[in-house]
Amino acid sequence: MGVGTELAPLEIPVTRTLIVSGAIASRDYQDVHHDAELAKEKGSPDIFMNILTTNGLVGRYVTDHFGPAAVLRKVAIRLGAPNYPGDTMVLTGTVAEVQEGDASGHGSESDGGGATVVVRIVGANGLGKHVTGTVTVTLPSLPNPTSTPSRPSVSGRPA
C-alpha cells in the first residue's frame, strides 16, 4: 500500500431510515433530519443527512478497508450537496500519504507503532459531492519477517 493506492468504492443507499436513525443516534434533533414537512417549510425538498452520520460513514469506510486494528486519528470533512432519501452515496478514497513507524516498531506520538496513513475521501451522490476531506489512520505494527518467533520445544517449554 503506497501513495496513490485507491480504496474500493462503497455504495451506501441513502434511506429515510438511515437519515433519521443517524440523527437520533447522534442526538441531533433538528427537524430537517426527521420531519419532511418542516424540512420543506424551511426550503429543503426533503429531510437530509446530518454531518455526524456522514462522519461516521466515512470512518466506517476507512476502518472497513484497513481492518479492525486500525485506529482513526483524525477525520476532517466538509459537506457539499445534501444526501436526500432515495439517492446513493458512493464513497471513494485514495492514499495521499504514508508515514512508516520507526525501525524499532515504534511510531511517533504513541500511534501504535505502525504506519500512519492519510486517505483523501470523496462521497458523491446524484447531486454531486456530498463530502470531501481526509482521514488519518494508524495501522498496527506488522511482525518483523526477519525475526524468528519463539517456538515451544517438544517438552512444551520455549526452545
Side-chain angles (χ1 to χ4, degrees), residues 43-59:
S44 179
D46 205 337
I47 63 171
F48 54 90
M49 187 176 286
N50 71 352
I51 192 169
L52 296 171
T53 303
T54 300
N55 199 61
L57 292 170
V58 166

Side-chain angles (χ1 to χ4, degrees), residues 22-38:
I24 291 170
S26 61
R27 295 182 171 189
D28 183 348
Y29 303 116
Q30 294 292 318
D31 51 27
V32 294
H33 303 307
H34 66 85
D35 188 317
E37 292 307 313
L38 289 175

